[in-house]
Amino acid sequence: MTPLAVAANENLAEISNYLIYSSMAVYTLAFLAHIAEWVFGSRSKVGRTAAALTGAAKAPAVQVRTKDGGTAVLDRPQVVTRAAAGSRDVPDGPGAGGDTEQGDMYGRIAVSLTALAFLIEAAGVVTRALSVQRAPWGNMYEFSITFSTVAVGAYLVLLAAKKNVRWLGLILVTTVLLDLGIATKWLYTDSDQLVPALDSYWLWIHVSTAIFCGAVFYIGAAGTVLYLFRDSYEARLAGGGTAGRFASSVLERLPSAASLDKFAYRINAAVFPLWTFTIIAGAIWANDAWGRFWGWDPKEVWSFVTWVAYACYLHARATAGWKGRKAAYLALFAFACWIWNYYGVNILLNGKHSYAGV
């Protein structure tokens, strides 16, 4: 490579770094806008969950006039509980904005800023690829910035498809900022070429699908965590208890526990076949690079453990009728395996997949 080409690649790497830091600044503005969305969402219009769950105990009696001129008291509304454990027939909350114009305005601003930050970050990833003239997934820094880009992209696609997922915005932006902060502070690695064994078109196939699967699994895990909080809130109200002011203000705006449970299940079920393909593609690449399909490398082992965990989750949901909290715990365990496979295996364990320097 000529000195001029080297200098050009270094300039592209600097531009990439600038774009990543710029995206972090815009994500921070989006974070503040999402905070405003939740703060200015009116609590007076988000009592549908409490009304549905406590109506039998608190709803006033309704008197009507009968045909003979007398009066009669109508029965108080009853809460219908679904057969599946952990599911209740309660309405979805109105969202972070609480059905108010001001809250909705801040929510729209937050989504617009998130979309702008996504474009800037995606440009940073592309520029990084141009600086190394390969797929930008050769180390943990590159994997991390691509992971957060794909996660935000998946969220924006769901919004564009008119799915009710704006409640995910604050959690998503917060974790993206955390991911980028870790990447730029501790995982950053200068642009460099891959070792010959990894310089293959399989890098585009295997690693790209791994990143996509992880990003979508993350969205499913976020929905699962929120499900657990919402389910506890609904159970408390259904049992005649009361929730604190913060819980009432925040949790009642989320979709119902049944909706969140269904959302997480559909996300995990949709991406699981692609995770299966990721492992198969990795085995084929390993045979091309190292002359064997499987070698019990820590990354290979934990990729398979993650696959088994998600397979058990989907199998339990499909055959054993697991819904609700038991399935949620299993789904979170599966995602924890994925996180360990990324951070723990790459940093703490030695293997062929370990990244140099980090």
Side-chain angles (χ1 to χ4, degrees), residues 312-347:
C312 289
Y313 163 74
L314 297 175
H315 178 74
R317 289 288 303 248
T319 60
W322 274 26
K323 290 182 176 63
R325 303 187 73 85
K326 292 188 295 183
Y329 293 140
L330 186 54
L332 290 180
F333 171 75
F335 184 69
C337 290
W338 192 94
I339 290 293
W340 166 256
N341 191 28
Y342 176 50
Y343 285 106
V345 171
N346 287 341
I347 296 175

Side-chain angles (χ1 to χ4, degrees), residues 19-31 113 117 177 180:
L19 290 171
I20 295 300
Y21 280 109
S22 297
S23 71
M24 293 175 66
V26 181
Y27 277 129
T28 301
L29 295 177
F31 169 81
L113 290 170
L177 283 171
L180 292 177

Side-chain angles (χ1 to χ4, degrees), residues 47 55 97 105 117 130 167 213 259 262 277 281 303:
M105 177 190 69
L130 295 176
W167 45 267
C213 290
S259 295
K262 184 185 298 183
F277 170 78
S303 295

Side-chain angles (χ1 to χ4, degrees), residues 129 132-140 142-143 146 192-212 277-278 281-282 284-286 288-290 353 355:
V132 293
Q133 298 181 4
R134 58 167 172 77
W137 311 313
N139 51 62
M140 289 187 70
E142 295 173 355
F143 193 104
T146 307
D192 200 359
Q193 298 302 313
L194 296 172
V195 297
L198 300 182
D199 189 9
S200 168
Y201 63 89
W202 282 106
L203 178 67
W204 292 92
I205 301 173
H206 171 66
V207 183
S208 64
T209 54
I211 293 173
F212 179 81
F277 170 78
T278 301
I284 297 173
W285 187 13
D288 290 345
W290 303 313
H353 291 78
Y355 291 115

Side-chain angles (χ1 to χ4, degrees), residues 208-251:
S208 64
T209 54
I211 293 173
F212 179 81
C213 290
V216 179
F217 278 146
Y218 158 75
I219 292 177
T224 300
V225 171
L226 292 178
Y227 157 76
L228 290 173
F229 282 106
R230 171 77 183 205
D231 182 65
S232 296
Y233 171 71
E234 291 182 7
R236 179 185 290 271
L237 294 181
T242 58
R245 182 175 181 181
F246 176 80
S248 297
S249 176
V250 173
L251 296 180

